[in-house]
């Protein structure tokens, strides 16, 4: 019998594009793009990115759901999501290398004063600033999952002093371990460049706020590549405008696309990018998910399963 797989993303058109990425990887399976007006197709598996809530009311035969990204926050908040349905997220898929590059860019932008030099250029000023040493830029990475752990190690290998903070303790070579709420303040106090790679859960929403960001080194820099809802935007603006923070590189926002007229667009201390720090690579993703479906069908374990109680 043919395996039926429903692909439900933010639009039928995008779902069709994803179907065409999967079809050559598994020609025998039947990939169906979600359309609001179509009835149940009794799919065996779902492949999703921000799917409509009706997916789980209509498709009642699903054996597992595969998320076309690392963060499952949009999926987890759907009320009709069955409690015992296995959810598998995308792992790496070529994204970690992109993340490393993006974060190194942010780090060097901050520590080598590129924002100030760009402003000098626009003003026609030849204005060399004092040298900055890497040891003046201790880096703190929030989130030691598949992405954060690699990012932290790679930044450490460049000669920065790196600490990682996560919910449970970790031991990553070259990365100082901080974990749990009890060690959060100590982690913040040693950090000048703060990189956020946490999953978005009720426990981490608004975790970047006036109180936490205010505990960083003076002149600290924020790189947010996780979710916009981690950050209290007004608090960041206040800390930048009062000179408490040096700047921010932001790839994610509470509302995406970032609305026209939002203060982040024109802020001299903020660099905005359109959620591109790591772009999902279609072929790699299709192969990863199809491999996992084959494993499941053989009754073998797969990696990347979401812990439903923890929410990520
Ligand atoms: C992107 O934001 C992802 O979660 O993969």
């Amino acid at each position: 019998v043919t395996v039926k797989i429903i692909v439900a993303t933010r639009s039928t058109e995008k779902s069709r594009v994803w179907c065409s990425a999967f079809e050559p990887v598994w020609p025998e399976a039947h990939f169906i793009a979600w359309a609001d007006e179509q009835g149940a197709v009794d799919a065996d598996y779902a492949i999703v990115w921000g799917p409509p809530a009706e997916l789980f009311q209509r498709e009642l035969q699903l054996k597992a759901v595969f998320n076309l990204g690392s963060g499952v926050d949009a999926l987890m908040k759907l009320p009709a999501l069955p409690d015992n349905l296995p959810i598998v997220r995308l792992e790496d898929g070529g994204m970690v290398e992109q993340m490393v590059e993006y974060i190194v860019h942010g780090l060097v932008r901050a520590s080598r004063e590129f924002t100030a030099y760009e402003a000098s250029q626009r003003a026609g000023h030849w204005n060399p600033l004092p040298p900055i040493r890497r040891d003046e830029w201790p880096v703190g990475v929030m989130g030691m999952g598949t992405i954060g752990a690699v990012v932290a190690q790679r930044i450490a290998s460049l000669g920065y002093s790196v600490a990682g903070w996560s919910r449970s303790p970790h031991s990553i070579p070259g990365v100082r371990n901080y974990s749990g709420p009890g060690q959060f303040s100590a982690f913040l106090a040693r950090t000048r460049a703060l990189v956020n790679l946490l999953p978005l859960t009720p426990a981490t929403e608004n975790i970047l706020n006036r109180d936490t960001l205010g505990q960083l080194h003076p002149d600290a820099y924020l790189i947010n590549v996780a979710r916009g809802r981690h950050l209290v935007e007004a608090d960041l603006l206040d800390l930048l405008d009062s000179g408490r923070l040096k700047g921010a590189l932001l790839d994610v926002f509470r509302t995406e696309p970032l609305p026209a007229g939002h203060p982040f667009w024109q802020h001299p201390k903020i660099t905005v990018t359109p959620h591109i720090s790591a772009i999902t690579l279609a072929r790699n993703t299709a192969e990863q998910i199809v491999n996992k479906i084959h494993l499941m069908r053989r009754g073998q374990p797969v990696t990347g399963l979401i812990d439903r109680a923890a929410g990520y």
Side-chain angles (χ1 to χ4, degrees):
V1 300
T2 310
V3 176
K4 276 190 272 183
I5 300 169
I6 187 130
V7 179
T9 66
R10 297 202 194 277
S11 72
T12 305
E13 200 180 314
K14 286 186 177 138
S15 301
R16 287 212 185 95
V17 174
W18 272 110
C19 286
S20 350
F22 277 89
E23 278 152 2
V25 177
W26 193 6
E28 298 77 23
H30 185 195
F31 292 92
I32 306 147
W34 170 272
D36 287 339
E37 62 283 0
Q38 96 203 335
V41 299
D42 293 332
D44 303 287
Y45 300 93
I47 295 172
V48 305
W49 181 249
E54 300 76 48
L55 172 65
F56 301 105
Q57 285 146 4
R58 203 182 286 176
E59 294 302 324
L60 303 174
Q61 313 291 331
L62 295 175
K63 298 182 187 70
V65 181
F66 294 85
N67 191 52
L68 287 167
S70 303
V72 292
D73 44 291
L75 183 56
M76 297 297 283
K77 65 174 196 246
L78 297 180
L81 183 67
D83 287 336
N84 46 8
L85 184 62
I87 299 172
V88 184
R89 69 194 187 84
L90 203 62
E91 295 175 290
D92 187 347
M95 302 224 275
V96 174
E97 288 308 317
Q98 299 176 59
M99 249 341 163
V100 169
E101 286 174 356
Y102 185 97
I103 290 162
V104 168
H105 166 86
L107 206 54
V108 173
R109 162 174 282 277
S111 68
R112 293 298 306 271
E113 300 282 16
F114 277 100
T115 303
Y117 287 122
E118 280 161 14
S120 296
Q121 178 185 350
R122 281 190 295 274
H125 290 158
W126 182 271
N127 185 25
L129 297 169
I132 297 174
R133 299 200 320 260
R134 269 188 215 158
D135 58 9
E136 293 173 348
W137 280 92
V139 179
V141 180
M142 297 167 72
M144 290 286 103
T146 38
I147 302 174
V150 178
V151 165
Q153 274 182 296
R154 297 286 294 277
I155 296 171
S157 76
L158 295 176
Y160 290 91
S161 158
V162 181
W165 180 77
S166 51
R167 200 170 63 119
S168 42
H170 53 86
S171 60
I172 296 156
V175 179
R176 283 187 63 176
N177 164 47
Y178 290 83
S179 62
Q183 292 178 358
F184 194 34
S185 284
F187 164 82
L188 292 169
R190 71 159 302 282
T191 295
R192 186 161 176 202
L194 183 66
V195 179
N196 179 32
L197 278 162
L198 287 171
L200 179 66
T201 68
T204 64
E205 182 160 4
N206 299 327
I207 194 166
L208 303 171
N209 57 49
R210 187 183 312 274
D211 171 49
T212 54
L213 297 174
Q215 295 178 50
L216 296 168
H217 265 229
D219 238 14
Y221 193 80
L222 170 67
I223 301 173
N224 189 17
V225 283
R227 285 290 182 265
R229 300 192 71 79
H230 285 127
L231 173 67
V232 180
E233 296 184 341
D235 288 2
L236 174 67
L237 288 168
D238 285 351
L239 292 163
L240 290 171
D241 292 341
S242 68
R244 179 64 184 77
L245 291 189
K246 181 185 183 71
L249 171 60
L250 306 175
D251 190 47
V252 289
F253 304 92
R254 295 188 93 90
T255 306
E256 294 180 9
L258 186 63
H262 192 286
F264 287 177
W265 281 118
Q266 300 297 336
H267 199 287
K269 295 181 177 175
I270 294 178
T271 304
V272 165
T273 54
H275 204 140
I276 48 70
S277 53
I279 298 167
T280 311
L281 304 173
R283 178 74 189 205
N284 187 311
T285 299
E287 285 169 358
Q288 179 180 135
I289 292 175
V290 167
N291 281 337
K292 287 184 183 180
I293 296 178
H294 290 321
L295 285 172
M296 280 186 168
R297 282 164 51 79
R298 292 200 297 265
Q300 288 174 278
V302 298
T303 55
L305 265 179
I306 296 304
D307 171 347
R308 295 295 291 273
Y312 67 93

